[in-house]
Amino acid sequence: MTTIAFIGLGIMGSPMSVHLATAGHDVVGFNLTPDRYGPLLAAGGQVAGSIGEAVAEAEVVCVMVPDSPDVQAVLLGDGGVFDAAKPGTLVVDFSSIRPDVAAALHADATERGFRLVDAPVSGGEAGAVAATLSIMVGGTTEDVAAAQPLLDVVGGTVVHVGPPGSGQTVKAANQLIVAAHLQVLAEAVVFLEAYGVDLEAALTVLGGGLAGSAVLQQKRTKVLTGDFAPGFRIDLHHKDLGIVTAAAREAGVVVPLGGQLAQLMAAARANGDGGLDHSALLRGVQRLSGRPVS
């Protein structure tokens, strides 16, 4: 049994913390809003009133918060992880943040006597609930090996992809690919509807051929029903595409489709869809096509 502090109990963090607790680990959770504690408590976990309280006795600190500034605040802020945790503590950052920030945080952690791996995840709420997440891990071989048993509890595919920051680079590429799939799925749906095709039947046969994808499989119900309750919010995917375009510019590579996807995601937010699931890109195509919006 490992003593784990889990910071950030949102759509993804809550089920991940529950899996760790049900696996027999001693999990202490902290979330800025206390209404997220129910599932962890039901699984036998505990809650803390502050980050400092959560991490004080932890052997491992897991972080799952929205963006780079949030991770920096959790780790570097007054009363944060680097202030309150014991030297030698292993920090596993599941958040999706800028690769350069992840690398800088690793250097800071090492200087302060902590171990840090970046371990962003893919699979959305469904993957978090089912413990089938794909986890792309950046860090030293020794630190990743130490984190591996916990990563295996919450993930189905866990791969060490390189040195510190590499996990975030791979996650950015993941978000580029997923956004492209979602956008072309949305365009295909509107195209099919315009011709009066049986949409459910069409998606079934498309899913069985070369056009099939995990995106189509996981998001077909949402595009069929128009129920865009968030598994992964447009707001967060917009942030991730900003990471893609900025990192690509720094590397001197071009991502022309990525730039367009970033604009389409921004347009969705501007139209009030930021809190919806990213499959709600369908609504943007419907608007552009002058058709009823789901």
Side-chain angles (χ1 to χ4, degrees), residues 61-74:
V61 175
C62 297
V63 181
M64 178 56 106
V65 293
D67 203 351
S68 300
D70 304 298
V71 176
Q72 291 169 315
V74 167

Side-chain angles (χ1 to χ4, degrees), residues 110-150:
T110 301
E111 184 178 337
R112 295 169 183 249
F114 297 100
R115 299 173 292 158
L116 174 64
V117 298
D118 49 294
V121 305
S122 178
E125 181 182 18
V129 170
T132 56
L133 294 167
S134 180
I135 308 179
M136 40 225 86
V137 192
T140 67
T141 300
E142 295 77 14
D143 291 346
V144 173
Q148 186 79 40
L150 302 182

